[in-house]
Amino acid sequence: MTTTRRGGLAGPVSGGGQASRPRLRRSPDTGLPADTRLARELLDGLAEAIVTTDHAGVVTLVNAMAIELLPELAPGAELARCPVPALAEAVRQGAGTFDAEHRGRRLRGTLRALAGGRCAWYVRDVTEEQARTDALLAERSRTAFLARAGSRLGLSLHRDQTLRATTTLPVPYLADAAVVLHRPPPPAEDRPHWIRYAAGDGGPVTGVGGWDLTTSVPGLAEALDGDATEPSPWLNAELADLAEVLPDGFGRPGTVLISPMLSAGGPAGALVLIRRAERPGFDQREIELAREFANRAGAALAAAELYGEQAHLASVLQQSLLPPELPRIAGITLAGGYRAAGDSLRIGGDFYDVFATGQGALFALGDVCGKGVGAAVLTGRVRQSLQTLRLVEKRPLELMGLLNRALFDAPDAARRAQFTTLLLGALTREPDGGLLVRVAGGGHPAPLVVRADGTVEPVRVGGMPIGALTDARFAEAEVRLAPGDLLLAHTDGVTEARGGPTELQMFGDKRLRQALASGAGLPPGALVDRLLQLVDEWLDGQVHDDIAVLAVAAAPA
């Protein structure tokens, strides 16, 4: 007798050529294998634990996975009283599922009813699945925290706001209390300042500490010095070491994590995260998150300090550039008006000055090209040069030429690409009470004469800007102001002011002349106030350039 293989099964072959195959016995009513050993092998090969019970709730079968995951169960045990609490409770409550920790594993069970009142529990080990889910949720939470922190810190352009954000953001997500120790900017005393926020506080609390605080808390002095080593949790912190910065009733700290707040310019401070004794310590992912947050906070604090320095510098420069109080000069009435640019950091270059002379006065009104510190420096240089040069030359045209030469004699003139438009005017009193005005122009908008009858006339002087060319040419014009007449000099901030009721339009020359004509006969102070009020209403809060105006008239008899 020979054998052949067909379909992967081996069996004997008879002489008649037909194969005699072994037949697997099957249960006549269910079609399942009647071989109990085979059925057992199939059950034991499943990745799920299977526990069956009879109609009375007594365990009748457990497979190999059930023996591994639920070794407390055995045939004959009453499932409702078994030593697996979650499963027993589900049976007593008639629940169809349970989800619980058991022997360090995460188990999830589902009930299925069988014929004859019997039941089967299918139990899966979802430990790794749950760990992956937890890790994903934790990563999303960390990402959301950093995104929220980055947004808050990025919007904090002031030092105090940044410090408040740094202490409030980690609580309670990372710690029960957060403290930032930092050195304040001069002229504050050189002692470590701190700001704290804890769960339950109404808001951040500030204070000044001693240097003994930095030495008593391990790692704090190194963090303040910018030590960039890996931050590590400090276990079993003593209350006495941190009592100075902790709120009353906080109790003994459990875990403290200290991280340096680094920035491009050096250490900006140290972030101290404190957890209560009943809260778990920091794991490695939380340490990394705290370090990243501390670095972002350090960069934000450094940016806020730089912004603060720039704002302070801008304020000081702007104050120094404000027009001075006008002198009292016999026979002449003067009035000036100034509006600083809408943005406090956009230091402008509009200015005016008036100097008394033996026969009357000398006035200057100008506009330095550009914004910022460079324009402020040039404005100061022009005004200081005028202060000096007027002592040796009082004729406007000649003084304009001297000023241009002085600016080009400055050491940095070759690399400076800035210029100034300027009006210089000499006021001379006349016997009949009028004023003779001689005006030299350096590329500035023409001054306007407002006659007593409402006529508005430009004084066309032209000329080239100061500091643009070494051989620049300037022009001069002469005009007489009778009693009741007025001369107004202004910068282009007036005509270029953008606003309007419907869309942003420039105030323009036409509106300026109409405003002056309607105020004819007013004294200089009243006319300047009226003009600035009209411009303010036109702007309606819009950002604008610097605005400077100067009005001159003969004093009434």
Side-chain angles (χ1 to χ4, degrees), residues 514-537:
Q514 290 174 347
L516 296 178
S518 64
L522 292 175
L527 184 62
V528 167
D529 290 343
R530 174 182 173 83
L531 176 60
L532 291 180
Q533 180 182 357
L534 291 174
V535 173
D536 288 341
E537 292 174 354

Side-chain angles (χ1 to χ4, degrees), residues 244-553:
E244 181 180 350
V245 298
L246 288 177
D248 295 336
F250 188 85
R252 186 172 180 270
T255 310
V256 178
L257 177 64
I258 301 175
S259 302
M261 295 169 57
L262 302 176
S263 68
L271 174 64
V272 183
L273 300 178
I274 307 163
R275 289 185 174 179
R276 298 181 186 272
E278 60 270 19
R279 185 171 177 176
F282 297 91
D283 60 29
Q284 187 59 38
R285 299 295 294 272
E286 290 172 329
I287 293 175
E288 294 173 357
L289 180 62
R291 178 181 61 181
E292 176 64 22
F293 173 73
N295 287 338
R296 295 191 182 193
L301 184 59
E305 290 177 342
L306 178 60
Y307 179 87
E309 293 174 0
Q310 291 178 338
H312 177 69
L313 175 61
S315 176
V316 171
L317 287 175
Q318 202 166 57
Q319 290 296 320
S320 69
L321 296 176
L322 290 177
E325 184 178 353
L326 296 176
R328 293 180 178 272
I329 302 174
I332 302 175
T333 304
L334 302 166
Y338 182 79
R339 292 286 189 273
D343 186 347
S344 61
L345 290 182
R346 296 178 64 225
I347 308 170
D350 292 11
F351 67 94
Y352 62 78
D353 277 307
V354 177
F355 314 104
T357 63
Q359 297 178 328
L362 182 70
F363 74 85
L365 183 139
D367 183 359
V368 171
C369 170
K371 297 292 177 187
V373 176
V377 170
L378 183 55
T379 301
R381 182 173 295 167
V382 170
R383 294 178 66 180
Q384 290 172 1
S385 299
L386 281 174
Q387 286 272 12
T388 303
L389 294 174
R390 71 179 178 85
L391 300 177
V392 297
E393 180 58 73
K394 294 180 175 58
R395 295 172 297 176
L397 188 62
E398 287 74 8
L399 181 56
M400 191 86 75
L402 288 177
L403 178 60
N404 190 63
R405 190 186 311 168
L407 293 178
F408 274 100
D409 286 343
D412 61 343
R415 61 177 182 273
R416 187 182 65 241
Q418 287 180 303
F419 58 85
T420 305
T421 64
L422 184 66
L423 289 176
L424 285 178
L427 307 175
T428 304
R429 294 184 296 267
E430 294 192 320
D432 63 353
L435 283 178
L436 178 65
V437 184
R438 182 178 297 168
V439 183
H444 197 82
L448 300 172
V449 174
V450 185
R451 299 297 181 184
D453 61 0
T455 303
V456 179
E457 306 168 354
V459 182
R460 303 192 183 281
V461 289
M464 301 175 66
I466 297 290
L469 298 172
T470 55
D471 57 349
R473 297 184 179 183
F474 310 106
E476 187 179 71
E478 192 173 282
V479 64
R480 185 179 184 279
L481 299 180
D485 295 342
L486 178 146
L487 181 138
L488 182 91
H490 64 89
T491 60
D492 57 11
V494 175
T495 55
E496 295 180 2
R498 291 187 176 272
T502 55
E503 58 183 11
L504 295 182
Q505 299 176 351
M506 290 196 298
F507 191 75
D509 293 315
K510 183 178 179 181
R511 289 187 182 85
L512 173 59
R513 295 190 183 196
Q514 290 174 347
L516 296 178
S518 64
L522 292 175
L527 184 62
V528 167
D529 290 343
R530 174 182 173 83
L531 176 60
L532 291 180
Q533 180 182 357
L534 291 174
V535 173
D536 288 341
E537 292 174 354
W538 180 258
L539 286 167
D540 192 24
Q542 296 291 330
V543 175
H544 59 86
D545 199 354
D546 284 349
I547 296 172
V549 294
L550 179 66
V552 178

Side-chain angles (χ1 to χ4, degrees), residues 48-364:
E48 287 182 315
I50 297 179
V51 179
T52 63
T53 61
D54 59 16
H55 65 281
V58 176
V59 176
T60 58
L61 179 145
V62 290
N63 69 346
M65 184 57 67
I67 295 173
E68 179 179 342
L69 297 180
L70 305 167
E72 300 87 351
L73 299 182
E78 186 178 350
L79 198 58
R81 297 181 180 180
C82 72
V84 183
L87 178 56
E89 181 66 19
V91 173
R92 289 194 297 269
Q93 297 293 332
T97 61
F98 77 89
D99 192 333
E101 296 280 345
H102 184 68
R103 292 181 173 270
R105 310 296 293 177
R106 186 78 179 185
L107 303 182
R108 188 170 297 159
T110 304
L111 175 66
R112 181 178 178 182
L114 303 178
R118 295 172 297 175
C119 296
W121 279 94
Y122 296 84
V123 182
R124 290 192 304 119
D125 183 355
V126 295
T127 305
E128 285 73 19
E129 178 183 334
Q130 188 66 41
R132 289 192 296 269
T133 302
D134 292 344
L136 178 59
L137 293 176
E139 188 61 34
R140 288 179 177 175
S141 177
R142 284 188 285 266
T143 302
F145 170 75
L146 287 177
R148 184 172 66 256
S151 177
R152 282 275 305 277
L153 293 172
L155 294 175
S156 302
L157 290 179
H158 296 281
R159 193 174 193 274
D160 290 344
Q161 291 180 354
T162 305
L163 288 171
R164 291 172 65 90
T166 303
T167 54
T168 55
L169 281 168
V171 178
Y173 182 73
L174 279 174
D176 298 306
V179 180
V180 173
L181 275 89
H182 59 95
R183 288 187 174 93
E189 56 184 330
D190 188 21
R191 294 176 61 191
H193 286 53
W194 55 264
I195 177 170
R196 180 206 74 222
Y197 180 74
D201 282 350
V205 180
T206 61
V208 180
W211 290 111
D212 55 340
L213 173 65
T214 63
T215 56
S216 62
V217 179
L220 186 53
E222 292 80 0
L224 287 172
D225 289 336
D227 188 354
T229 58
E230 288 286 329
S232 57
W234 174 39
L235 300 175
N236 301 322
E238 293 297 332
L239 175 61
D241 295 332
L242 290 170
E244 181 180 350
V245 298
L246 288 177
D248 295 336
F250 188 85
R252 186 172 180 270
T255 310
V256 178
L257 177 64
I258 301 175
S259 302
M261 295 169 57
L262 302 176
S263 68
L271 174 64
V272 183
L273 300 178
I274 307 163
R275 289 185 174 179
R276 298 181 186 272
E278 60 270 19
R279 185 171 177 176
F282 297 91
D283 60 29
Q284 187 59 38
R285 299 295 294 272
E286 290 172 329
I287 293 175
E288 294 173 357
L289 180 62
R291 178 181 61 181
E292 176 64 22
F293 173 73
N295 287 338
R296 295 191 182 193
L301 184 59
E305 290 177 342
L306 178 60
Y307 179 87
E309 293 174 0
Q310 291 178 338
H312 177 69
L313 175 61
S315 176
V316 171
L317 287 175
Q318 202 166 57
Q319 290 296 320
S320 69
L321 296 176
L322 290 177
E325 184 178 353
L326 296 176
R328 293 180 178 272
I329 302 174
I332 302 175
T333 304
L334 302 166
Y338 182 79
R339 292 286 189 273
D343 186 347
S344 61
L345 290 182
R346 296 178 64 225
I347 308 170
D350 292 11
F351 67 94
Y352 62 78
D353 277 307
V354 177
F355 314 104
T357 63
Q359 297 178 328
L362 182 70
F363 74 85

Side-chain angles (χ1 to χ4, degrees), residues 2-18:
T2 61
T3 62
T4 61
R5 289 182 179 271
R6 294 184 183 179
L9 295 176
V13 180
S14 66
Q18 293 184 346

